[in-house]
């Protein structure tokens, strides 16, 4: 599965990339503004996006994605170090499919999260699939 | 909080008897900015239009809307909830004092009042109000800092915990790939705790200011930065006069010079030169550190010293930071009685001559 990672902290971005690549995924990564929207145009099938970033933050990124044809219905998962409920609610209300709180494990990333709801808000086309290991079976999202 | 035209506290006097208002004005106008109202509704309107009102002297017995009702309405509105209200109460109403307190009044003065007593109560409640504001502001700032710090610490720990998880699940994964990231996370985590500790130390005012040899402090800061300078092949061109300044030596070396030096190295290109000078200038010791790096965009410059908004930017070699360095640096310079100026030109807009210059002025020891 082609996965886009948007994360401004190099160390997290690289480790996340390793985790996903070792599970057989094709990863494209972006750290900033223009770059990430350009990456989004490469038709990823799944997006992991940090919330707190300079310039365009995660909510801004999500709003842009929702306007782009081809990727507006791609599963969009926030990565956040803010465990505050209000912050998470804000993320979900803006149309994200789920959030993962940092730090996360390989299992969190590739096997889905029990907290995940189904579908995406804005232009949902169906249930969201987590990027399970390409060798394994894909698991539909259920809350 | 909005800036005020005047540093004098602003009081609202409410009494339906003009003669009483005149007495109050005569008593208070030397020290305070005054607004007056002779009706309850008028008082509420003034409160609505005066966001920085500091205290209200409120008559109880008034036609149409009495003082109790004015008080009740002011306490019900978010914007006016915390303005101190002192009731002016005729002797016959003394029994109603408790009623006034129940409605949220801060105090009362019996009419006819004794001027020194009235003035003293006004002063007391203004002082309490100022202290409350100060505590609330401090509390907000601390909450914001706590949020930033826990966010950043969680990020650094994430790198370590993710790396361990990766190794656990994939024992053949090359550890050498992960080691530099884990090292960077650990370094930044430690740097963050150091800066937060520095910040606290600065705020606790326990700083012992004494004469410090400027050249020695700069030398030590350069020594501490040596490995980073070497790694990035950055050369420092120095012209440092032998001056003595008012500072605290550890904070000057680490929190001030260490931070601006780190910044200059971080945003310099490989093989670049940094210019460092220290000269006496108009009675100050003037330290200038100029890099020829990428410079700062206006949005970054605006937030550079705000501890609640400052955000770490990647260096030219992908170096990460804490986002706390510059706010801490300026805090210490201010505590030393000095000033900081920044001039910057972005490489993107000034390809010929770009970079950032910090000018730090410190008190000279005569």
């Amino acid at each position: 599965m082609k996965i886009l990672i948007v994360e401004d902290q190099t160390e997290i971005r690289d480790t996340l990339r390793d985790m996903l690549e070792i599970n057989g995924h094709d990863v494209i990564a972006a750290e900033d503004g223009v770059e990430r929207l350009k990456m989004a145009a490469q038709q990823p099938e799944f997006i992991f996006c940090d919330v707190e970033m300079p310039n365009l933050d995660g909510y801004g990124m999500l709003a842009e994605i929702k306007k782009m044809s081809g990727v507006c219905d791609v599963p969009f998962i926030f990565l956040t170090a803010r465990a505050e409920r209000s912050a998470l609610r804000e993320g979900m209300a803006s149309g994200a499919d789920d959030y993962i709180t940092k730090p996360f494990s390989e299992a969190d990333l590739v096997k889905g999260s029990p907290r995940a709801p189904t579908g995406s808000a804005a232009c949902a086309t169906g249930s969201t699939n987590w990027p399970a290991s390409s060798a394994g079976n894909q698991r539909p999202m259920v809350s | 909080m909005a800036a005020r035209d005047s540093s004098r506290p602003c009081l609202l006097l409410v009494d339906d008897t003009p003669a009483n208002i005149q007495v109050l004005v005569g008593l208070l106008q030397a020290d305070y900015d005054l607004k007056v109202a002779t009706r309850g509704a008028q008082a509420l309107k003034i409160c609505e239009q005066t966001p920085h009102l500091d205290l209200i002297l409120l008559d109880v017995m008034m036609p149409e809307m009495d003082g109790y009702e004015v008080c009740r309405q002011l306490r019900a509105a978010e914007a006016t909830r915390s303005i101190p209200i002192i009731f002016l109460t005729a002797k016959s109403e003394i029994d109603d004092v408790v009623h006034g307190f129940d409605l949220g009044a801060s105090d009362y003065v019996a009419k006819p009042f004794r001027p020194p007593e009235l003035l003293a109560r006004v002063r007391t409640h203004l002082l309490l109000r100022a202290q409350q504001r100060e505590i609330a502001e401090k509390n907000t700032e601390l909450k914001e800092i706590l949020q930033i710090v826990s966010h950043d610490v969680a990020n650094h720990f994430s790198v370590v915990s993710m790396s361990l998880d990766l190794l656990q699940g994939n024992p053949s994964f090359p550890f050498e790939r992960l080691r530099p990231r884990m090292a960077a996370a650990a370094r930044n985590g430690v740097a963050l705790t150091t800066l937060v500790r520095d910040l606290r130390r600065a705020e606790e005012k326990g700083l012992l200011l004494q004469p410090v040899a400027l050249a020695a402090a700069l030398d030590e800061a350069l020594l501490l930065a040596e490995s980073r300078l070497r790694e990035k092949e950055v050369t420092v061109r120095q012209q440092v006069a032998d001056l003595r300044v008012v500072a605290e030596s550890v904070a000057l070396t680490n929190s001030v010079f260490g931070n601006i030096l780190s910044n200059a190295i971080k945003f310099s290109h490989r093989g670049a030169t940094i210019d460092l000078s220290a000269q006496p200038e108009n009675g100050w010791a003037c330290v200038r550190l100029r890099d020829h790096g990428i410079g700062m965009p206006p949005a970054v410059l605006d937030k550079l010293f705000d501890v609640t908004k400052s955000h770490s930017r990647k260096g030219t070699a992908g170096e990460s930071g804490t986002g706390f360095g510059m706010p801490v640096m300026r805090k210490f310079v201010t505590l030393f009685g000095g000033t900081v100026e920044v001039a910057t030109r972005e490489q993107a807009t000034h390809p010929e001559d770009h970079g950032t210059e910090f000018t730090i002025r410190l008190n000279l020891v005569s």
Side-chain angles (χ1 to χ4, degrees), chain A residues 7-12 14-16 18-19 21-22 31 52-54 81-82 84 102-107, chain B residues 147 151 154-159 161-163 165-166 169-170 173 177-178 181 184-185 188 311 314 318 320:
Chain A
E7 164 67 61
D8 66 323
Q9 198 179 332
T10 318
E11 293 83 23
I12 292 189
D14 291 346
T15 311
L16 189 52
D18 285 341
M19 275 185 172
E21 280 180 352
I22 214 165
E31 69 171 295
E52 296 90 4
M53 292 181 290
R82 291 157 76 183
E84 293 93 344
K102 295 177 199 172
F104 34 77
S105 68
E106 202 178 330
Chain B
Q147 195 181 334
H151 166 261
N155 263 333
H156 296 317
F157 271 115
S158 293
V159 174
S161 112
M162 285 163 67
S163 301
D165 186 62
L166 194 58
N170 312 277
F173 193 89
R177 253 179 92 80
L178 300 173
R181 293 175 208 161
N188 285 326
H311 198 294
K314 287 276 167 299
S320 47

Side-chain angles (χ1 to χ4, degrees), chain B residues 22-318:
Chain B
Q22 273 168 26
V23 172
L24 288 169
V25 168
L27 198 60
L28 297 161
Q29 66 182 355
D31 297 315
Y32 307 109
D33 286 343
L34 303 175
K35 294 193 176 291
V36 297
T38 50
R39 291 287 180 275
Q42 189 192 2
L44 289 173
K45 192 157 186 199
I46 290 172
C47 290
E48 202 176 291
Q49 292 165 348
T50 318
H52 58 265
L53 212 51
D54 292 294
L55 186 142
I56 301 168
L57 285 173
L58 184 57
D59 185 24
V60 174
M61 289 296 289
M62 291 186 294
E64 292 152 34
M65 186 189 291
D66 68 7
Y68 293 136
E69 178 57 19
V70 173
C71 181
R72 200 188 58 73
Q73 292 199 26
L74 289 175
R75 287 294 176 256
E78 179 64 36
T80 53
R81 184 161 298 158
S82 56
I83 304 173
I85 295 174
I86 300 178
F87 273 123
L88 300 169
T89 319
K91 281 263 187 285
S92 58
E93 294 153 3
I94 286 294
D95 290 344
D96 299 330
V97 159
V98 174
H99 182 52
F101 282 125
D102 286 344
L103 288 170
S106 314
D107 206 350
Y108 75 96
V109 176
K111 289 200 284 191
F113 53 79
R114 292 174 295 252
E117 182 192 340
L118 180 88
L119 288 171
R121 287 188 194 269
V122 165
R123 272 197 304 274
T124 299
H125 287 283
L126 284 174
L127 183 67
L128 278 172
R129 164 86 157 152
Q131 286 169 343
Q132 276 168 5
R133 274 182 177 155
E134 201 179 311
I135 290 167
E137 275 167 27
K138 192 78 225 160
N139 193 32
T140 308
E141 191 192 294
L142 283 174
K143 266 194 215 156
E144 284 173 350
I145 292 174
L146 186 64
Q147 195 181 334
I148 295 166
V149 171
S150 33
H151 166 261
D152 291 1
V153 167
N155 263 333
H156 296 317
F157 271 115
S158 293
V159 174
V160 177
S161 112
M162 285 163 67
S163 301
L164 291 172
D165 186 62
L166 194 58
L167 285 171
Q168 169 111 33
N170 312 277
S172 61
F173 193 89
F175 178 67
E176 272 312 303
R177 253 179 92 80
L178 300 173
R179 210 181 55 83
R181 293 175 208 161
M182 294 170 83
R187 194 170 54 239
N188 285 326
V190 172
L192 188 66
T193 57
T194 306
L195 286 171
V196 171
R197 215 180 295 141
D198 284 354
L199 201 62
R200 276 191 40 131
R201 198 161 70 93
E203 280 173 358
E204 278 163 13
K205 292 176 189 156
L207 229 44
L208 181 64
L209 297 183
Q210 51 194 16
V212 177
L214 190 62
L218 283 168
D219 274 348
E220 199 181 336
L222 284 165
L223 194 68
L224 291 168
E226 201 179 58
S227 66
R228 278 166 294 155
L229 285 164
R230 206 174 35 229
E231 234 167 72
K232 230 168 159 179
E233 295 159 25
V234 171
T235 318
V236 181
R237 250 189 325 231
Q238 293 188 60
Q239 206 173 1
V240 176
D242 190 14
L243 303 170
R244 277 150 62 84
V245 296
V246 179
E248 196 239 26
S249 103
V250 175
L252 183 67
T253 301
N254 296 308
S255 306
V256 178
F257 295 150
N259 275 324
I260 55 170
L261 209 50
S262 292
N263 208 64
I265 299 168
K266 187 173 160 188
F267 297 111
S268 283
H269 296 289
R270 181 167 296 283
T273 302
I274 293 172
D275 292 301
L276 171 64
S277 72
Q279 312 293 341
E281 210 179 278
N282 302 324
W284 294 94
C286 188
V287 179
R288 288 201 169 83
L289 188 72
R290 164 83 153 99
D291 67 57
H292 302 274
I294 56 174
M296 279 181 263
V300 171
L301 188 59
D302 286 349
K303 295 184 280 193
L304 193 62
F305 298 122
D306 186 340
V307 73
T308 62
K309 299 207 180 74
S310 181
H311 198 294
S312 172
R313 271 202 314 158
K314 287 276 167 299
T316 56

Side-chain angles (χ1 to χ4, degrees), chain B residues 4-15:
Chain B
R4 297 190 197 182
D5 306 341
S6 152
S7 58
R8 294 182 359 144
C10 181
L11 272 55
L12 170 64
L13 316 175
V14 191
D15 199 308

